[in-house]
Every structure is written in structure tokens, then in C-alpha cells.
């Protein structure tokens, strides 16, 4: 019944802003806090560096740049180069076909781009480990790291490059993508906008409150939460929202049927 309501909202919307968080990433195959599978996939990293999850490993400063890049390279190969979209990702793609959309996500493996979404309609708020930035602390631009070997160096200052993620204090968000998202929001203030929240949790608060405030601010905007309960939403948002309190994979499956 409610899924029918959600389908109708999606069909009727002029545009859709997807917020995809950590639990979307899990539904798509990357659980950065999963110790059991990390131990099976990367037993040598557990042994050598005492790291137990992808999240743990990303936070760990390894003794040398070659070791650092060797580890990053494996994650990038496993989760980005050899990426296969999940059913959830394919169902989302189907859902957005023909729609004006924008995706704001904390999922950092280039998965949306790899699944065929338009890279100009994606803002990776926590960066993207298939891109790299200068480690000097100065913003010397972003480059793809997919074709590099060994330890890449900055073309401007010759410092080592690092994956573009907020692992240090000098993380610069992708300002171009941020600007494109702002334009998408501004252009659609008076349109029938639907915000589709998919698996956003406390690991990316940027994707919750600021977006909820926009929906409360603009009369024609509506909100669907896949995996939050109604009482987890701000009171004023509840009347403009459908909250499914299920998991992302199940939510997208139901919607695609
Ligand atoms: Zn540099």
C-alpha cells in the first residue's frame, strides 16, 4: 500500500534528489565495518598492520607511501575496478530513468559512476578513492588514480598524492560537484522535488539535517525515507514524508515490482 504511494510520488515528481549513505553502500556490497569478510579477503593486512575493517584500514597511516598505495590499490581494484552493480543499484537506476535527478552520497568507491549514472549528477561528499589529491595540504586539484603505478606524485609540487577522502585535516570537497548540486537545488525550489533517502545514517549527518531543512523550507518538496521510521524524522518533516523503516535493498526491490 505505502509502496504504491511511494511509486506515485516518484512518478509525479519533476525531479529527484537521492541521498545515499553508508547503508546503501552495504546494500551494494561495501560494508566498511565488516570484520568477518575483511579477515577472509585481506588476512595479510590483518596480520601485518593490525587493521580489521576497510574503515579501520583507511584510517591507518602505514609506515611508507609504497605500502599505503599498495593497500589502497587493492581496495580500489576489488571494489571499483572489478565492481559489479547490485540489484539495489540496478533498481535505483531503473527508477531514475527519464527523471531529472541528482545524487548526493557518502559512498566513496565511484559505484554510481561505474553503474552508469551521469558523473555530472553526483556529489561524492566523502570524496572518491578512484581520484587522488595532493598530500601537501594545498589544493592542487583532483586526478584519477586508476592508471597510476607505484606512488603517484603531484605534478605541481611533487608531493606524494593520496586518495581523495576525508582521512586528513586538509580534505577539500569536490567544489565543482558541490556547485552543481547547489544549482540543481536552486533551479528546482518551486518544482515537485522528491528527496529519496537511501541508507543515510549517523556516519554522514551532512545528508540528513541540511536536506530535511530544505524539504521543510520548500512547499512543493516531498521526502521518502527508505530505512528510517517516521519518528526519526523532524516533526515538521513527518507530514511531508513517507518513512518505510525497512532496509534499502528491500525498499528498492518493492519499488521495482
Ligand atoms: Zn601538490
Amino acid at each position: 500500500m505505502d509502496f504504491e504511494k511511494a511509486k506515485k510520488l516518484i512518478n509525479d515528481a519533476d525531479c529527484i534528489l537521492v541521498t545515499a549513505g553508508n547503508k546503501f553502500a552495504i546494500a551494494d556490497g561495501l560494508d566498511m565495518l565488516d570484520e568477518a569478510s575483511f579477515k577472509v579477503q585481506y588476512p595479510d593486512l590483518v596480520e601485518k598492520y593490525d587493521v580489521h575493517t576497510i574503515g579501520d584500514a583507511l584510517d591507518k597511516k602505514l609506515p611508507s607511501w609504497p605500502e599505503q598505495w599498495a593497500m589502497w590499490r587493492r581496495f580500489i581494484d576489488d571494489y571499483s575496478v572489478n565492481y559489479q552493480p547490485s540489484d539495489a543499484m540496478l533498481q535505483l537506476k531503473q527508477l531514475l530513468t527519464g527523471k531529472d535527478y541528482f545524487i548526493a552520497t557518502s559512498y566513496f568507491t565511484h559505484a554510481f559512476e561505474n553503474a552508469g549514472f551521469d558523473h555530472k549528477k553526483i556529489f561524492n561528499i566523502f570524496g572518491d578513492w578512484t581520484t587522488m589529491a595532493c598530500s601537501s595540504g594545498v589544493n592542487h586539484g583532483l586526478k584519477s588514480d586508476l592508471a597510476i603505478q607505484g606512488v603517484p606524485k603531484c605534478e605541481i609540487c611533487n608531493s606524494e598524492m593520496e586518495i581523495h577522502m576525508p582521512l586528513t585535516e586538509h580534505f577539500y570537497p569536490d567544489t565543482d560537484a558541490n556547485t552543481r548540486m547547489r544549482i540543481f537545488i536552486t533551479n528546482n525550489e518551486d518544482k515537485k522535488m522528491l528527496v529519496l533517502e537511501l541508507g543515510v545514517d549517523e556516519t554522514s549527518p551532512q545528508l540528513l539535517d541540511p536536506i530535511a531543512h530544505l524539504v521543510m523550507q520548500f512547499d512543493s518538496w516531498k521526502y521518502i525515507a527508505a530505512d528510517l521510521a517516521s519518528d526519526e524524522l523532524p516533526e515538521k518533516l513527518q507530514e511531508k514524508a513517507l518513512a518505510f523503516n525497512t532496509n534499502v535493498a528491500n525498499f528498492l526491490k518493492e519499488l521495482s515490482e
Side-chain angles (χ1 to χ4, degrees), residues 134 136 140 154 156-157 159:
C134 180
S136 69
H140 284 156
C154 176
I156 295 170
C157 75
S159 299

Side-chain angles (χ1 to χ4, degrees), residues 28 77-86 89 107 109 111 114-115:
D28 196 43
D77 281 346
D78 290 347
Y79 287 95
S80 302
V81 176
N82 297 318
Y83 172 75
Q84 296 290 335
S86 62
M89 183 64 96
Y107 190 16
T109 64
N114 282 338

Side-chain angles (χ1 to χ4, degrees), residues 131-135 138-144 154 156 161-162 164 172:
T131 60
M132 55 186 182
C134 180
S135 67
V138 181
N139 187 355
H140 284 156
L142 298 174
K143 287 240 155 49
S144 170
C154 176
I156 295 170
M161 297 293 275
E162 60 192 9
H164 183 237
Y172 292 93

Side-chain angles (χ1 to χ4, degrees), residues 16-33 79 83-96 101-117 122-126 196-204 207-208 224-228 246-253 255-256:
I16 298 181
L17 173 60
V18 175
T19 56
N22 182 45
K23 293 200 173 103
F24 182 88
I26 292 172
D28 196 43
L30 174 79
D31 185 347
M32 60 184 286
L33 301 178
Y79 287 95
Y83 172 75
Q84 296 290 335
S86 62
D87 287 348
M89 183 64 96
L90 296 173
Q91 285 153 357
L92 178 63
K93 214 176 153 204
Q94 183 61 37
L95 214 60
L96 296 182
Y101 69 87
F102 199 94
I103 298 167
T105 185
S106 63
Y107 190 16
F108 48 79
T109 64
H110 209 68
F112 288 98
E113 293 89 342
N114 282 338
F117 289 95
I122 301 167
F123 178 26
N124 295 301
I125 64 162
F126 287 172
L196 194 55
E197 177 273 313
L198 300 175
V200 176
D201 62 16
E202 66 285 348
T203 61
S204 55
L207 295 176
L208 277 179
I224 292 181
D227 59 347
L228 298 176
T246 180
N247 69 60
V248 170
N250 183 54
F251 174 80
L252 288 168
K253 182 170 173 289
L255 279 190
S256 70

Side-chain angles (χ1 to χ4, degrees), residues 108-202:
F108 48 79
T109 64
H110 209 68
F112 288 98
E113 293 89 342
N114 282 338
F117 289 95
D118 182 348
H119 74 279
K120 292 213 158 124
K121 296 175 184 240
I122 301 167
F123 178 26
N124 295 301
I125 64 162
F126 287 172
D128 171 349
W129 68 15
T130 73
T131 60
M132 55 186 182
C134 180
S135 67
S136 69
V138 181
N139 187 355
H140 284 156
L142 298 174
K143 287 240 155 49
S144 170
D145 60 31
L146 290 174
I148 56 110
Q149 290 182 334
V151 177
K153 296 279 183 75
C154 176
E155 286 174 6
I156 295 170
C157 75
N158 207 39
S159 299
E160 288 82 6
M161 297 293 275
E162 60 192 9
I163 52 171
H164 183 237
M165 288 190 68
L167 307 175
T168 60
E169 282 163 15
H170 54 255
F171 173 72
Y172 292 93
D174 182 340
T175 46
D176 292 344
N178 195 356
T179 302
R180 287 194 291 268
M181 178 167 164
R182 281 172 196 284
I183 291 170
F184 178 78
I185 288 169
T186 308
N187 285 348
N188 291 307
E189 285 177 3
D190 300 325
K191 302 274 177 59
K192 281 193 276 180
M193 171 79 87
L194 176 67
V195 173
L196 194 55
E197 177 273 313
L198 300 175
V200 176
D201 62 16
E202 66 285 348

